[in-house]
Amino acid sequence: MEQITLIAGALVAGAVAASKDVATQAVRDAYDGLKTLIIRKFGKESDLADAVGGVEKKPDSEGRQETLREELESAEVHKDSEVFRRAQVLAEALKETSEGKNIISKYNITGSEVGVIGDHTTVR
């Protein structure tokens, strides 16, 4: 489930960038957009929303990252193209800064390699 890897990694990387106050406005907007979409689609009282909040509080916690992955799988977010596209946008925004590139590398959000060809984002 490469989509789960990308979505989880993007959420973790976005939370890390926000917690270190190194996020650009584009990263903050993309991260907030992805979180808002997840809450709208799965509910603010859902286990998935709680997992996102948990990672946001302690983004370096491997336990919270694993819980997030489990909840993403349980909610079958890999089947939701809108969530996946928002995660791709966040990943691309992170790639635009040197700190974002370091975060991407550390949190392995390239489980699904994201690339841009022309006007189209692709996943390999």
Side-chain angles (χ1 to χ4, degrees):
M1 287 196 213
E2 293 177 3
Q3 292 95 339
I4 296 289
T5 301
L6 177 71
I7 296 165
L11 284 165
V12 170
V16 168
S19 74
K20 293 183 178 182
D21 202 29
V22 297
T24 63
Q25 189 62 47
V27 170
R28 279 193 282 286
D29 290 347
Y31 179 64
D32 288 342
L34 179 56
K35 283 189 327 182
T36 300
L37 179 63
I38 287 172
I39 290 168
R40 181 174 54 83
K41 288 192 172 229
F42 300 96
K44 71 179 187 176
E45 301 298 324
S46 68
D47 290 339
L48 179 53
D50 288 345
V52 171
V55 164
E56 200 165 48
K57 289 177 186 170
K58 291 187 178 180
D60 291 323
S61 167
E62 290 182 22
R64 290 185 188 212
Q65 292 172 24
E66 184 57 34
T67 298
L68 175 63
R69 282 185 202 91
E70 289 174 8
E71 293 304 332
L72 288 167
E73 287 177 15
S74 178
E76 298 184 332
V77 295
H78 62 282
K79 295 179 180 178
D80 190 311
S81 62
E82 189 178 9
V83 171
F84 186 66
R85 280 192 306 272
R86 292 277 177 108
Q88 288 175 311
V89 168
L90 176 53
E92 288 301 318
L94 285 160
K95 283 182 171 180
E96 297 298 316
T97 67
S98 59
E99 183 64 26
K101 288 178 187 174
N102 293 335
I103 292 168
I104 286 170
S105 176
K106 181 176 179 180
Y107 293 96
N108 190 29
I109 76 166
T110 57
S112 287
E113 187 178 329
V114 177
V116 177
I117 300 173
D119 293 335
H120 306 287
T121 302
T122 60
V123 179
R124 298 183 273 279

